[in-house]
Short mmCIF file of all heavy atoms in Angstrom, two decimals:
data_model
loop_
_atom_site.label_atom_id
_atom_site.label_comp_id
_atom_site.label_asym_id
_atom_site.label_seq_id
_atom_site.Cartn_x
_atom_site.Cartn_y
_atom_site.Cartn_z
N ILE A 167 -2.17 -5.08 11.94
CA ILE A 167 -1.40 -5.30 10.71
C ILE A 167 -0.03 -5.90 11.00
O ILE A 167 0.67 -5.50 11.93
CB ILE A 167 -1.28 -3.98 9.91
CG1 ILE A 167 -0.72 -4.25 8.51
CG2 ILE A 167 -0.48 -2.94 10.66
CD1 ILE A 167 -0.88 -3.09 7.55
N VAL A 209 -2.64 7.62 -2.36
CA VAL A 209 -3.48 8.75 -2.02
C VAL A 209 -2.79 10.07 -2.35
O VAL A 209 -1.56 10.18 -2.25
CB VAL A 209 -3.91 8.74 -0.53
CG1 VAL A 209 -4.78 7.54 -0.22
CG2 VAL A 209 -2.70 8.78 0.39
N PHE A 264 -10.50 8.62 -0.19
CA PHE A 264 -9.84 7.79 0.81
C PHE A 264 -10.81 7.43 1.93
O PHE A 264 -10.83 6.30 2.43
CB PHE A 264 -8.63 8.54 1.36
CG PHE A 264 -7.85 7.79 2.40
CD1 PHE A 264 -7.41 6.50 2.17
CD2 PHE A 264 -7.53 8.39 3.61
CE1 PHE A 264 -6.68 5.81 3.14
CE2 PHE A 264 -6.80 7.72 4.57
CZ PHE A 264 -6.38 6.43 4.33
N ILE A 277 -4.54 -2.33 5.08
CA ILE A 277 -4.33 -1.36 4.00
C ILE A 277 -2.93 -0.77 4.07
O ILE A 277 -2.48 -0.30 5.12
CB ILE A 277 -5.35 -0.20 4.07
CG1 ILE A 277 -6.78 -0.74 4.09
CG2 ILE A 277 -5.17 0.73 2.87
CD1 ILE A 277 -7.83 0.34 4.18
N ASN A 278 -2.23 -0.81 2.93
CA ASN A 278 -0.95 -0.12 2.76
C ASN A 278 -1.24 1.17 2.00
O ASN A 278 -1.65 1.14 0.84
CB ASN A 278 0.03 -0.96 1.93
CG ASN A 278 0.32 -2.30 2.56
OD1 ASN A 278 0.22 -2.46 3.77
ND2 ASN A 278 0.68 -3.28 1.75
N ILE A 279 -0.99 2.29 2.63
CA ILE A 279 -1.34 3.60 2.06
C ILE A 279 -0.08 4.30 1.60
O ILE A 279 0.77 4.67 2.42
CB ILE A 279 -2.04 4.47 3.12
CG1 ILE A 279 -3.23 3.73 3.74
CG2 ILE A 279 -2.46 5.81 2.52
CD1 ILE A 279 -3.61 4.26 5.12
N GLU A 280 0.08 4.48 0.29
CA GLU A 280 1.24 5.20 -0.20
C GLU A 280 0.90 6.68 -0.38
O GLU A 280 -0.02 7.04 -1.12
CB GLU A 280 1.75 4.64 -1.53
CG GLU A 280 3.01 5.38 -1.99
CD GLU A 280 3.65 4.81 -3.24
OE1 GLU A 280 3.33 3.67 -3.62
OE2 GLU A 280 4.50 5.53 -3.84
N LEU A 281 1.66 7.53 0.30
CA LEU A 281 1.47 8.98 0.19
C LEU A 281 2.15 9.48 -1.07
O LEU A 281 3.36 9.33 -1.24
CB LEU A 281 2.08 9.68 1.41
CG LEU A 281 1.57 9.25 2.79
CD1 LEU A 281 2.32 10.01 3.88
CD2 LEU A 281 0.08 9.46 2.91
N ALA A 292 -0.07 14.08 4.71
CA ALA A 292 0.16 13.14 5.82
C ALA A 292 -0.80 13.43 6.96
O ALA A 292 -1.38 12.51 7.56
CB ALA A 292 1.61 13.23 6.28
N VAL A 295 -4.39 12.32 6.05
CA VAL A 295 -4.50 10.86 6.03
C VAL A 295 -4.57 10.32 7.46
O VAL A 295 -5.43 9.49 7.79
CB VAL A 295 -3.33 10.24 5.25
CG1 VAL A 295 -3.23 8.74 5.53
CG2 VAL A 295 -3.50 10.48 3.76
N VAL A 296 -3.68 10.78 8.31
CA VAL A 296 -3.67 10.32 9.70
C VAL A 296 -4.97 10.69 10.40
O VAL A 296 -5.54 9.89 11.15
CB VAL A 296 -2.46 10.90 10.45
CG1 VAL A 296 -2.58 10.65 11.95
CG2 VAL A 296 -1.17 10.28 9.94
N VAL A 299 -7.63 8.23 9.32
CA VAL A 299 -7.38 6.93 9.95
C VAL A 299 -7.81 6.97 11.41
O VAL A 299 -8.44 6.03 11.91
CB VAL A 299 -5.89 6.55 9.82
CG1 VAL A 299 -5.57 5.33 10.70
CG2 VAL A 299 -5.53 6.25 8.37
N VAL A 308 -3.66 -0.26 9.37
CA VAL A 308 -3.00 0.35 8.23
C VAL A 308 -1.50 0.51 8.45
O VAL A 308 -1.02 0.50 9.59
CB VAL A 308 -3.59 1.74 7.91
CG1 VAL A 308 -5.11 1.67 7.78
CG2 VAL A 308 -3.20 2.77 8.97
N GLN A 309 -0.79 0.65 7.34
CA GLN A 309 0.56 1.22 7.38
C GLN A 309 0.59 2.35 6.37
O GLN A 309 -0.10 2.31 5.34
CB GLN A 309 1.64 0.19 7.05
CG GLN A 309 1.66 -0.30 5.61
CD GLN A 309 3.05 -0.66 5.11
OE1 GLN A 309 4.00 0.08 5.29
NE2 GLN A 309 3.15 -1.82 4.48
N VAL A 310 1.36 3.37 6.67
CA VAL A 310 1.57 4.50 5.77
C VAL A 310 2.97 4.36 5.19
O VAL A 310 3.93 4.13 5.93
CB VAL A 310 1.41 5.84 6.51
CG1 VAL A 310 1.80 7.00 5.61
CG2 VAL A 310 -0.01 6.01 7.00
N MET A 311 3.10 4.49 3.89
CA MET A 311 4.41 4.33 3.27
C MET A 311 4.60 5.41 2.21
O MET A 311 3.64 6.00 1.71
CB MET A 311 4.55 2.94 2.65
CG MET A 311 3.51 2.59 1.63
SD MET A 311 3.67 0.88 1.06
CE MET A 311 2.39 0.83 -0.18
N SER A 312 5.87 5.67 1.86
CA SER A 312 6.14 6.69 0.86
C SER A 312 7.59 6.65 0.43
O SER A 312 8.47 6.22 1.18
CB SER A 312 5.81 8.08 1.43
OG SER A 312 5.92 9.07 0.43
N SER A 317 7.47 12.84 4.56
CA SER A 317 6.04 12.64 4.82
C SER A 317 5.83 11.63 5.94
O SER A 317 4.89 11.74 6.73
CB SER A 317 5.33 12.14 3.55
OG SER A 317 5.39 13.10 2.53
N LEU A 318 6.71 10.63 6.01
CA LEU A 318 6.60 9.63 7.07
C LEU A 318 6.91 10.24 8.43
O LEU A 318 6.25 9.95 9.42
CB LEU A 318 7.56 8.46 6.79
CG LEU A 318 7.37 7.73 5.46
CD1 LEU A 318 8.40 6.61 5.33
CD2 LEU A 318 5.95 7.17 5.34
N ALA A 321 3.88 12.08 9.41
CA ALA A 321 2.81 11.18 9.85
C ALA A 321 3.06 10.70 11.28
O ALA A 321 2.14 10.66 12.11
CB ALA A 321 2.70 9.99 8.90
N ARG A 322 4.30 10.36 11.59
CA ARG A 322 4.64 9.90 12.93
C ARG A 322 4.49 11.02 13.95
O ARG A 322 4.20 10.77 15.13
CB ARG A 322 6.07 9.36 12.95
CG ARG A 322 6.26 8.05 12.21
CD ARG A 322 5.69 6.89 12.98
NE ARG A 322 6.46 6.60 14.18
CZ ARG A 322 6.11 5.71 15.10
NH1 ARG A 322 4.99 5.05 14.97
NH2 ARG A 322 6.86 5.51 16.16
N VAL A 328 0.56 4.61 14.20
CA VAL A 328 0.50 4.19 12.80
C VAL A 328 1.89 3.74 12.34
O VAL A 328 2.86 4.49 12.45
CB VAL A 328 0.00 5.33 11.91
CG1 VAL A 328 0.04 4.93 10.44
CG2 VAL A 328 -1.43 5.72 12.29
N LEU A 329 1.96 2.52 11.81
CA LEU A 329 3.23 2.02 11.28
C LEU A 329 3.59 2.78 10.01
O LEU A 329 2.73 3.09 9.20
CB LEU A 329 3.13 0.53 10.96
CG LEU A 329 2.92 -0.45 12.10
CD1 LEU A 329 2.94 -1.87 11.58
CD2 LEU A 329 3.96 -0.27 13.19
N CYS A 330 4.90 3.05 9.85
CA CYS A 330 5.37 3.76 8.66
C CYS A 330 6.42 2.93 7.93
O CYS A 330 7.30 2.34 8.56
CB CYS A 330 5.96 5.11 9.04
SG CYS A 330 4.70 6.33 9.47
N GLY A 331 6.31 2.90 6.61
CA GLY A 331 7.24 2.15 5.78
C GLY A 331 7.99 3.05 4.82
O GLY A 331 7.38 3.80 4.05
N ALA A 332 9.31 2.98 4.88
CA ALA A 332 10.16 3.77 3.98
C ALA A 332 10.39 2.99 2.69
O ALA A 332 11.01 1.92 2.71
CB ALA A 332 11.48 4.08 4.66
N ILE A 333 9.88 3.51 1.59
CA ILE A 333 10.11 2.90 0.28
C ILE A 333 11.38 3.48 -0.31
O ILE A 333 11.58 4.70 -0.28
CB ILE A 333 8.95 3.17 -0.69
CG1 ILE A 333 7.60 2.86 -0.05
CG2 ILE A 333 9.13 2.34 -1.97
CD1 ILE A 333 6.41 3.22 -0.93
N ALA A 350 10.65 5.02 11.41
CA ALA A 350 9.88 4.09 10.57
C ALA A 350 10.05 2.67 11.10
O ALA A 350 11.05 2.36 11.76
CB ALA A 350 10.33 4.18 9.13
N GLN A 351 9.08 1.82 10.82
CA GLN A 351 9.12 0.44 11.31
C GLN A 351 9.29 -0.59 10.20
O GLN A 351 9.49 -1.76 10.47
CB GLN A 351 7.81 0.12 12.05
CG GLN A 351 7.58 0.92 13.31
CD GLN A 351 7.14 2.35 13.01
OE1 GLN A 351 6.35 2.59 12.11
NE2 GLN A 351 7.69 3.30 13.74
N ILE A 352 9.20 -0.14 8.94
CA ILE A 352 9.19 -1.06 7.82
C ILE A 352 10.13 -0.57 6.73
O ILE A 352 10.09 0.61 6.36
CB ILE A 352 7.77 -1.21 7.22
CG1 ILE A 352 6.76 -1.58 8.30
CG2 ILE A 352 7.75 -2.22 6.08
CD1 ILE A 352 5.34 -1.25 7.95
#
Side-chain angles (χ1 to χ4, degrees):
I167 191 166
V209 295
F264 180 51
I277 306 179
N278 301 334
I279 307 157
E280 182 175 345
L281 303 178
V295 165
V296 169
V299 169
V308 308
Q309 69 148 314
V310 173
M311 58 185 183
S312 187
S317 296
L318 302 180
R322 290 286 291 174
V328 176
L329 295 183
C330 285
I333 311 175
Q351 296 76 41
I352 306 158

